[in-house]
Amino acid sequence: MSTSSASAHVCATTSGAPRPEGLRPLPAEDHHARAQEHQRRVAEYTQGFLQRRHAGQKHPVEDFLFTYYSHSPGQLSRWHPGAGTVLEGAGGSEQAGWKFYTTVDDGTAAGGATVDVVRFRHARESMIGFARRLLSATAARPAQLGCFGLHEWAMVYRSVQHGQRHDQVPLRLGSDGTDEVVESLNIRCTHFDAFRFYTPSARPLNALTPTRETQVELEQPGCLHANMDLYKWAYKLIPAVSSDLLLDCFDLAWRIRELDMRASPYDLADWGYQPVRIETPQGRADYARAQKGFAEEAQVLRGRILGALDEVDALADARARRPD
């Protein structure tokens, strides 16, 4: 939606809450079909995790997106059209009662359901502001492709002394070999939420000291973890962000997680993952090439999230200008 159409004047209607001009109507049969398709896609990712959780089992790669991030499989399976769309005939549905939804007059007997952008923006003002600053600043920077995934290695540096994360899988080069790789290559992680898991011995080896306060200044689009975190920002912005965009971010994070662990110091051969041997020149070249592709995909998604926030602002501003 263009800013001009989203900012169009608001017309009064004869019953129910008024519908701002420029909102996209979505017929009932279409939004039911899209919700079902979304749930089918989500099930492809969540089924294995839910079965393992029931059986008390863990997967060192696939479980991460469901355990590190706070969005549950059930929340992920809920379909949201995003701000600017009216679900026709859904005024009396369960979805109309979900958080940040409201009903509008859409010409049907039941009325329509849509995201209440004014209430959403007011309630999430601080988080929206931070997300906009972080994503905009990250998008404006060139991608740095020379980290080679060493953050995972730094998390187990001197594991004999500090202990080992993911202790259900062995280290591919052993503890001494892992330490040698960390000491022989330059570590320059820019991402605080990776750096904070470094062992105490590894932290002084990093070229930077990322903090939460410097996150906006340091985040860059080549970082695998910054790009995985697009999923986090998308779900924090639900329901103003559509579930289509959310699942696109999830899918990217899923594929990045696989590279992250294949390039890690862990031996995941028994789990079906061949290593990206970043301790070799060829492995580092392979990693950087994959990292570049993910960075390009992430920049598109970053732009789409920022575009969704722009639409929230345009719709909320238009609603605020409507005469009482």
Side-chain angles (χ1 to χ4, degrees), residues 18-293:
R19 184 182 72 179
E21 290 183 2
L23 291 183
R24 300 174 293 271
L26 189 64
E29 60 270 21
D30 291 343
H31 66 75
H32 291 156
R34 289 178 61 181
Q36 290 175 352
E37 174 61 16
H38 172 76
Q39 290 162 3
R40 184 197 65 77
R41 289 183 61 198
V42 168
E44 292 178 354
Y45 293 107
T46 60
Q47 184 176 18
F49 170 73
L50 293 173
Q51 290 174 343
R52 286 190 298 273
R53 186 172 66 178
H54 181 73
Q57 300 171 345
K58 296 181 179 180
H59 193 291
V61 180
E62 293 183 0
D63 289 357
F64 177 78
L65 296 185
F66 304 111
T67 55
Y68 177 77
Y69 293 108
S70 62
H71 208 55
S72 69
Q75 290 171 315
L76 183 61
S77 69
R78 280 190 169 191
W79 178 77
H80 302 273
T85 297
V86 176
L87 303 178
E88 291 188 333
S93 69
E94 178 185 359
Q95 187 161 357
W98 290 355
K99 191 172 184 178
F100 296 123
Y101 276 82
T102 190
T103 56
V104 294
D105 180 6
D106 65 349
T108 67
T114 192
V115 175
D116 186 336
V117 291
V118 174
R119 188 155 49 96
F120 176 83
R121 185 171 67 170
H122 177 74
R124 299 290 174 84
E125 181 178 8
S126 176
M127 187 270 292
I128 290 171
F130 181 78
R132 191 189 295 279
R133 291 193 303 275
L134 178 65
L135 299 179
S136 297
T138 305
R141 297 189 179 104
Q144 300 175 28
L145 305 176
C147 68
F148 308 125
L150 283 166
H151 55 276
E152 289 289 343
W153 297 70
M155 294 176 192
V156 292
Y157 179 60
R158 296 188 179 175
S159 60
V160 172
Q161 175 183 350
H162 300 296
Q164 180 183 320
R165 301 180 76 241
H166 304 299
D167 56 6
Q168 73 267 38
V169 288
L171 296 175
R172 184 165 53 82
L173 302 179
S175 58
D176 289 344
T178 299
D179 293 350
E180 289 176 9
V181 171
V182 173
E183 292 164 358
S184 66
L185 297 172
N186 295 322
I187 311 178
R188 43 181 177 269
C189 180
T190 57
H191 191 66
F192 170 69
D193 283 315
F195 178 75
R196 67 190 177 98
F197 290 109
Y198 279 26
T199 66
S201 297
R203 288 172 190 159
L205 303 179
N206 203 64
L208 301 165
T209 306
T211 65
R212 185 68 69 202
E213 291 71 27
T214 61
Q215 187 173 6
V216 174
E217 287 72 35
L218 292 181
E219 205 108 304
Q220 52 87 19
C223 173
L224 293 191
H225 278 261
N227 294 334
M228 277 196 286
D229 276 355
L230 291 176
Y231 168 58
K232 176 180 71 176
W233 294 115
Y235 73 67
K236 283 180 176 292
L237 294 166
I238 286 291
V241 161
S242 73
S243 290
D244 293 339
L245 176 51
L246 174 65
L247 202 52
D248 286 346
C249 291
F250 182 92
D251 176 75
L252 178 64
W254 181 276
R255 290 180 286 122
I256 289 176
R257 171 63 176 174
E258 180 176 330
L259 174 65
D260 199 33
M261 292 304 286
R262 288 180 60 212
S264 77
Y266 299 106
D267 185 351
L268 296 167
D270 289 346
W271 295 87
Y273 298 96
Q274 294 303 310
V276 177
R277 301 181 186 277
I278 59 96
E279 69 273 17
T280 69
Q282 182 60 55
R284 291 193 290 275
D286 291 342
Y287 181 92
R289 183 169 53 253
Q291 185 182 24
K292 182 175 184 292

Side-chain angles (χ1 to χ4, degrees), residues 288-307:
R289 183 169 53 253
Q291 185 182 24
K292 182 175 184 292
F294 286 140
E296 291 170 352
E297 287 189 64
Q299 286 288 62
V300 173
L301 295 176
R302 205 169 270 114
R304 288 172 62 190
I305 295 174
L306 288 168

